[in-house]
Amino acid sequence: MEWVLGLLSWTLSRARWPLGLSEQGAARWPLGLSEQGAARRPRIMEEKALEVYDLIRTIRDPEKPNTLEELEVVTESCVKVQKINEDDYLVIIRFTPTVPHCSLATLIGLCLRVKLQRCLPFKHKLEIYISEGTHSTEEDINKQINDKERVAAAMENPNLREIVEQCVLEPD
């Protein structure tokens, strides 16, 4: 009898494994996803992060004729995407100013925000930060570029809007 119970237990454990169930019968994968679905999730997030990077890498620096990619202000590794729910994503960007006292870091953050708000093809929440330890006033700038009211007020200034438009304009 003990041998039959052992065989039955072994058989049930094998039957649950392909279904993504643990020995307690609970799903092993988040939100009931299959193992294949769970493995696909990071790949989808990487694809979304590359999509974001492709949009921001061509933004022009406000005072140099180079792109943010050429100046290494943004890199592929500075973009992270996380799924919030079924339709929404959290996009986090950590950019690195060229010098620790860069006076245009806030403007660069504004350009990143404007370009992504206009061009991202999926619903998102956007957080933009200066990479930790790369700017003398990073906390203040992080607050400014993530404050919707300050961003809206900045874009109402015609001179500032003109600069942002020139920076986010796609190259020919």
Side-chain angles (χ1 to χ4, degrees):
M1 182 70 170
E2 194 174 309
W3 180 81
V4 171
L5 289 175
L7 181 59
L8 180 61
S9 175
W10 180 84
T11 304
L12 287 175
S13 71
R14 295 292 178 236
R16 280 188 292 242
W17 183 81
L19 297 174
L21 299 174
S22 67
E23 289 193 21
Q24 290 78 31
R28 292 186 309 177
W29 312 109
L31 304 173
L33 292 175
S34 65
E35 182 175 7
Q36 182 181 19
R40 250 191 352 247
R41 183 177 285 237
R43 191 179 75 231
I44 291 169
M45 297 304 112
E46 288 174 17
E47 289 171 3
K48 296 250 182 237
L50 280 174
E51 193 174 347
V52 170
Y53 177 70
D54 281 342
L55 289 171
I56 64 174
R57 67 188 189 86
T58 59
I59 295 173
R60 297 243 165 246
D61 183 87
E63 64 182 357
K64 296 183 172 106
N66 304 80
T67 65
L68 297 184
E69 178 185 47
E70 292 167 344
L71 296 170
E72 296 181 0
V73 171
V74 295
T75 61
E76 284 184 29
S77 64
C78 80
V79 179
K80 303 286 182 240
V81 177
Q82 301 168 359
K83 192 164 188 133
I84 297 174
N85 59 40
E86 193 63 34
D87 298 321
D88 299 325
Y89 295 88
L90 172 62
V91 176
I92 302 169
I93 298 174
R94 296 194 179 275
F95 70 96
T96 305
T98 53
V99 292
H101 54 277
C102 177
S103 61
L104 298 174
T106 307
L107 185 56
I108 291 170
L110 184 60
C111 291
L112 291 167
R113 180 167 295 282
V114 167
K115 178 85 177 241
L116 291 174
Q117 284 176 336
R118 289 181 184 173
C119 299
L120 269 183
F122 53 86
K123 288 174 59 176
H124 63 279
K125 179 180 187 285
L126 186 56
E127 293 180 5
I128 300 173
Y129 303 102
I130 291 180
S131 299
E132 195 171 327
T134 61
H135 197 279
S136 56
T137 61
E138 72 186 64
E139 280 185 40
D140 294 332
I141 293 172
N142 287 341
K143 284 180 189 175
Q144 286 181 327
I145 59 181
N146 287 297
D147 183 321
K148 289 180 184 179
E149 289 157 6
R150 288 184 185 186
V151 169
M155 290 307 290
E156 287 177 9
N157 178 322
N159 296 327
L160 202 49
R161 188 173 53 244
E162 173 76 22
I163 294 169
V164 169
E165 294 297 339
Q166 289 301 313
C167 291
V168 300
L169 190 66
E170 282 296 317
D172 293 332

